[in-house]
Amino acid sequence: MLFLARMDVIFPESMDSATKADFQVREKEYSGNLQRQGIMKGIWRVVGEYANYSIFDVDGHDELHEILSGFPMFPYMDVKVTPLAKHPNATSDDFFAG
Ligand SMILES: O=C(O)C[C@H]1C=CC(=O)O1
């Protein structure tokens, strides 16, 4: 099942830059593992915002929740999830093949 997630990162103003940098390193590692496993199909930056759109291919809601809540930055993220179904006019089945 495919899901589109928008993640907005909101760090508290009081958080120092070393702590932010540490979150970014751990986030990159976690995110990279998901991408290498094919669970996270892609991630895009929202222009001008500390936010991204990502596509996840998972078995269901519980797995997605577990994955999202495992992001190191999860306590500082506002996450919105949209379930995706195949569009009848889509010319490619790529995302649905796996
Ligand atoms: O958008 C960000 O930079 C935050 C974050 C959430 C997932 C990820 O890989 O990075």
Side-chain angles (χ1 to χ4, degrees):
M1 299 167 73
L2 289 175
F3 294 89
L4 175 70
R6 175 175 170 134
M7 303 179 221
D8 287 77
V9 181
I10 308 116
F11 285 137
E13 293 206 1
S14 58
M15 187 182 281
D16 60 71
S17 53
T19 305
K20 281 183 199 164
D22 180 59
F23 270 113
Q24 284 159 347
V25 167
R26 291 189 288 126
E27 196 82 351
K28 187 170 185 173
E29 185 183 356
Y30 184 83
S31 176
N33 282 335
L34 291 171
Q35 290 172 63
R36 282 188 288 279
Q37 292 175 73
I39 294 169
M40 198 171 176
K41 309 296 281 185
I43 180 167
W44 294 264
R45 177 63 75 215
V46 179
V47 175
E49 299 183 45
Y50 197 178
N52 72 76
Y53 278 104
S54 305
I55 293 178
F56 292 88
D57 189 0
V58 293
D59 288 338
H61 299 168
D62 292 341
E63 184 185 357
L64 183 60
H65 182 74
E66 195 176 320
I67 287 166
L68 291 173
S69 55
F71 274 97
M73 290 182 186
F74 183 74
Y76 303 104
M77 293 195 311
D78 179 26
V79 185
K80 295 279 181 288
V81 173
T82 305
L84 300 175
K86 185 176 178 180
H87 193 286
N89 298 344
T91 56
S92 167
D93 272 349
D94 281 354
F95 273 117
F96 294 89

